[in-house]
Amino acid sequence: KAGVTQTPRYLIKTRGQQVTLSCSPISGHRSVSWYQQTPGQGLQFLFEYFSETQRNKGNFPGRFSGRQFSNSRSEMNVSTLELGDSALYLCASSLEPEPPAQYFGPGTRLLVL
Amino acid sequence: DQQVKQNSPSLSVQEGRISILNCDYTNSMFDYFLWYKKYPAEGPTFLISISSIKDKNEDGRFTVFLNKSAKHLSLHIVPSQPGDSAVYFCAASGGSNYKLTFGKGTLLTVNP
């Protein structure tokens, strides 16, 4: 079974631009979560989607948004990019209802200049 | 407020010996705990998990122990292999909230 895939793998943007990242979960997984990893803050939860609905949201500004499609694929969008948004963005999927183990993709490395 | 803490940033062990990675948590609502392994430029790989109704779970060379009263869990790797060298993250979730709260990670180096 194929794992979680994320595109693109690497991205360079400039301040003020917006970016959209894509995630395809493991087949059959309906929950998709997004995390941001930075050297200073570690892995931080952004949001989680299930059946096209956002169920949980982390402590990030409204510039960070996401959505999930009917085939469980998910996208996250960051508007008005700031230098501090440079990070590894990780997508994870899990099989409902139990166990809540999440399986991660390889991540998208975003660099904001 | 860091709810999941891995107090050792790094650990070095000899090949064949036991590696013990520790994790403490503060949130009593956490009822599911996971360990992930991460190589640079890759996503975390799920290793093993444990529910709060258990105190031990084993999978091959990996064993996780949970001490609820101390709010402490540990991952034992026996025997350690050079390929185990990576950053290990402890994570926790609580109730119906599927959000994972991660520790900062411990860099394990297994020397041949």
Side-chain angles (χ1 to χ4, degrees), chain B residues 44-88:
Chain B
T45 300
F46 170 69
L47 280 175
I48 191 168
S49 61
I50 187 166
S51 164
S52 60
I53 63 173
K54 296 185 176 181
D55 54 19
K56 177 183 173 181
N57 189 26
E58 242 178 304
D59 185 0
R61 296 187 297 117
F62 302 93
T63 303
V64 56
F65 296 92
L66 175 62
N67 182 333
K68 289 185 289 294
S69 60
K71 293 191 175 67
H72 177 84
L73 64 154
S74 60
L75 175 68
H76 292 210
I77 306 173
V78 184
S80 301
Q81 300 172 353
D84 296 330
S85 297
V87 177
Y88 288 76

Side-chain angles (χ1 to χ4, degrees), chain A residues 9 35 37 40-41 45 55-56 96-97 99-102 104-106, chain B residues 32 34 36 38 41-44 46 89 93 97-100 102 104:
Chain A
R9 292 293 312 276
Y35 294 82
Q37 184 183 25
Q41 298 298 319
F45 172 77
R55 291 196 300 188
N56 297 293
E96 287 281 313
Q102 295 182 11
F104 285 80
Chain B
Y32 201 82
L34 309 91
Y36 286 85
K38 188 178 185 302
E42 293 184 12
F46 170 69
F89 290 96
S93 70
N97 186 338
Y98 284 84
K99 160 188 171 180
L100 289 180
F102 283 86
K104 298 286 190 186

